[in-house]
Amino acid sequence: MELVSLTLTGLRDALYRGETTSVAATQAMLDRIVAHDNTIRSYLTVTDELALEQAAAADHRRAAGEDTPLLGVPVAVKDMLCLAGAPTTAGSKILEGFIPPYSAFAVDRLVEAGAVILGKTNTDEFAMGSSTENSAYFTTRNPWDPERVPGGSSGGSAAAVAAGLAYGALGTDTGGSVRQPASFCGLVGLRPTYGRVSRWGVIAFASSLDQVGPFGRRAADAAALLSVVAGYDPRDSTSLDAPVPDYEAALTGDIRGLRVGVPREYFIEGIEPEVEAAVRAAIDDLAALGAEIIDVSLPHTRYGLPVYYLIAPAEASANLARYDGTRFGPRVAGADMIDTVRQTRALFGPETKRRIMLGTYALSAGYYDEYYGRALKVRSLIREDFRRVFESVDVIAAPTSPTTAFRIGDRAGDPLSMYLADIFTLPLNLSASCGLSVPCGFDSQGLPIGLQLIGDTLQEALILNVAHAYEQVKPWHRRLPVAPAEALD
């Protein structure tokens, strides 16, 4: 059996049937990380000893007759999520050397389900970026073309799964940071409804927008991971106390009669022609599967980018104020207290500083109502757009990103151009809906293209089933950039 070619659910089933062991699968992943991650650079920390211990324990438990949802399956975790006893940096020098004594809720859920934690993946500093070029440590590369970015900020997790260096992974999505890298790397990446997965133990960027989400090679992988990490957590005041459905059981592949809305605002000037063609072809495929295609409008979408870049930096400036050399993070001694704070906060990278300053300005006494207060009002209008559209359709279909993966360095000196990479994903986060990206083709350079499927609040099962149905007729997810070329099981 070629272990590295298996999907997450394929490996899980092979383990259940006794065709392989967790130790064998984990060692195969670790060997592959050694062989390939010097090029891809998806991991900040590889927890090889922990992984092998967990794998051996999983095999022992299985031999004793136990079975749990992810027993023995090796996965990776974005470095925004705490893992007890392992370095957790949020991609920043200001947290270098921090080893939390606890794990995030989502990580605890993975461990309870029997998953093996391979390590912590690279991220833009404090999840602020669209390319993983803003990591304080190194840039992660796209497995489809190492000269290109994997997307961000969860680019490390996406690249690890795409390169066959993990069977699945967790990321965080504040403005598209799971869906956009999933699109760039040819994966299924899911952003659940806000509050569906607890943020406890997740290093904060923008508290009203952050949400943990899974990466997998196919919809079934994302469903399996979401089934484990979703759920109520009383330690998180924003956690939703709602039943968790069986997401895998919902993957029937039947979408006959489903109403799919296509928003005209998502097909705009600037979208690459090959991206638009692939997405429209995918929508036609949904129609061929029995869905009804309906033109819809989300008129306040054009305000999504400016609204996001007022609200998110404002929340970031408040969240990151704690890293001052006194309360959290390292302390760089200065001549006096002010100098100590100044030198300590100089450890932040340029993009993080830019957003802190922007957010602080937007919250300042003379400008709060003009900027932050007005952004909150427009956010309500964006939410109302989605609420109104979901009265007439079940799912919204649109591009995930206006382009395929761009070259490393191409947008590094142009923040606005970088921010535009998330123009189609930002409105969803402002609306608190759920969404995913599923591969829907490749451009002429062999780079993946993503179809974004957006669902109403707590409709993750529905959008996963639409993605699953699409995979049955257009199996783009079977193409691999680095792993063996044979079809996935």
Side-chain angles (χ1 to χ4, degrees):
M1 178 182 296
E2 186 62 64
L3 288 174
V4 298
S5 70
L6 295 175
T7 62
L8 181 146
T9 51
L11 174 67
R12 183 192 62 186
D13 294 343
L15 290 167
Y16 180 79
R17 295 190 297 265
E19 297 170 358
T20 188
T21 66
S22 178
V23 168
T26 301
Q27 190 62 62
M29 283 290 108
L30 293 173
D31 290 345
R32 191 166 177 79
I33 291 169
V34 171
H36 293 283
D37 208 41
N38 284 336
T39 299
I40 302 302
R41 310 209 77 181
S42 58
Y43 284 91
L44 283 170
T45 301
V46 178
T47 52
D48 48 354
E49 292 184 5
L50 172 65
L52 289 171
E53 288 174 5
Q54 291 176 329
D59 287 338
H60 179 76
R61 290 169 60 187
R62 191 174 297 280
E66 290 187 49
D67 188 32
T68 53
L70 295 176
L71 187 58
V73 177
V75 298
V77 176
K78 184 179 181 179
D79 205 36
M80 295 293 290
L81 286 78
C82 290
L83 172 61
T88 300
T89 70
S92 178
K93 291 290 185 181
I94 209 163
L95 280 174
E96 189 171 22
F98 171 56
I99 299 180
Y102 56 87
S103 292
F105 171 89
V107 176
D108 275 337
R109 282 293 186 95
L110 287 178
V111 173
E112 290 168 7
V116 172
I117 310 298
L118 292 167
K120 310 297 293 300
T121 56
N122 197 21
T123 172
D124 287 297
E125 185 177 17
F126 285 98
M128 298 181 189
S130 305
S131 64
T132 321
E133 293 173 283
N134 293 330
S135 170
Y137 298 95
F138 46 77
T139 296
T140 298
R141 296 175 177 272
N142 192 316
W144 293 93
D145 180 352
E147 298 303 313
R148 297 179 183 269
V149 302
S153 63
S154 304
S157 288
V161 177
L165 309 180
Y167 290 98
L170 294 185
T172 61
D173 192 314
T174 305
S177 293
V178 167
R179 287 161 290 146
Q180 186 249 29
S183 177
F184 281 11
C185 291
L187 302 173
V188 174
L190 171 68
R191 195 271 188 187
T193 303
Y194 181 75
R196 177 77 282 187
V197 182
S198 170
R199 292 183 297 110
W200 195 88
V202 179
I203 296 172
F205 163 16
S207 300
S208 75
L209 298 164
D210 298 342
Q211 186 60 201
V212 176
F215 288 97
R217 292 194 182 278
R218 54 172 50 169
D221 296 347
L225 285 167
L226 183 62
S227 294
V228 167
V229 301
Y232 175 65
D233 179 7
R235 297 169 297 182
D236 176 3
S237 63
T238 63
S239 179
L240 294 175
D241 189 2
V244 178
D246 187 337
Y247 294 111
E248 289 188 84
L251 303 180
T252 64
D254 184 1
I255 61 169
R256 288 172 294 179
L258 193 78
R259 299 169 300 171
V260 177
V262 180
R264 61 181 66 98
E265 293 82 3
Y266 281 66
F267 295 90
I268 57 174
E269 183 179 353
I271 185 172
E272 290 182 351
E274 289 181 297
V275 171
E276 179 172 356
V279 171
R280 290 196 181 278
I283 293 170
D284 289 341
D285 289 326
L286 297 181
L289 287 167
E292 178 187 0
I293 308 302
I294 302 172
D295 289 331
V296 298
S297 178
L298 296 166
H300 293 95
T301 293
R302 65 184 184 276
Y303 300 117
L305 188 70
V307 167
Y308 176 86
Y309 279 102
L310 284 168
I311 292 176
E315 295 184 4
S317 72
N319 279 324
L320 272 61
R322 70 193 70 178
Y323 304 105
D324 58 4
T326 301
R327 291 170 291 177
F328 291 88
R331 181 184 182 91
V332 180
D336 52 34
M337 183 183 70
I338 298 300
D339 190 46
T340 294
V341 173
R342 181 167 55 246
Q343 292 198 46
T344 298
R345 290 173 70 80
L347 293 171
F348 285 126
E351 180 60 28
T352 304
K353 291 178 183 175
R354 181 182 294 116
R355 298 198 193 194
I356 290 172
M357 289 189 289
L358 177 61
T360 302
Y361 181 83
L363 291 174
S364 59
Y367 299 99
Y368 180 94
D369 290 334
E370 181 69 17
Y371 293 107
Y372 184 71
R374 183 172 295 183
L376 291 179
K377 293 176 182 178
V378 179
R379 181 181 189 173
S380 296
L381 295 176
I382 292 172
R383 284 179 171 173
E384 181 60 22
D385 281 351
F386 279 91
R387 186 202 63 77
R388 176 183 50 78
V389 166
F390 281 124
E391 290 178 352
S392 58
V393 302
D394 303 301
V395 174
I396 295 170
T400 305
S401 172
T403 71
T404 52
F406 46 89
R407 292 189 178 278
I408 293 171
D410 273 4
R411 303 190 184 187
D414 185 354
L416 180 58
S417 176
M418 186 71 78
Y419 298 163
L420 287 169
D422 296 329
I423 192 169
F424 294 149
T425 56
L426 296 174
L428 184 154
N429 296 70
L430 295 167
S431 75
S433 304
C434 61
L436 62 77
S437 181
V438 60
C440 69
F442 292 82
D443 70 7
S444 57
Q445 299 177 83
L447 299 171
I449 298 169
L451 167 69
Q452 183 175 198
L453 299 170
I454 301 172
D456 201 357
T457 303
L458 294 177
Q459 293 300 308
E460 291 85 2
L462 177 61
I463 59 175
L464 282 164
N465 185 46
V466 178
H468 175 70
Y470 177 71
E471 288 174 345
Q472 308 314 301
V473 294
K474 296 288 184 179
W476 301 109
H477 61 286
R478 294 179 180 270
R479 290 178 58 174
L480 304 174
V482 177
E486 60 263 29
L488 295 170
D489 291 333

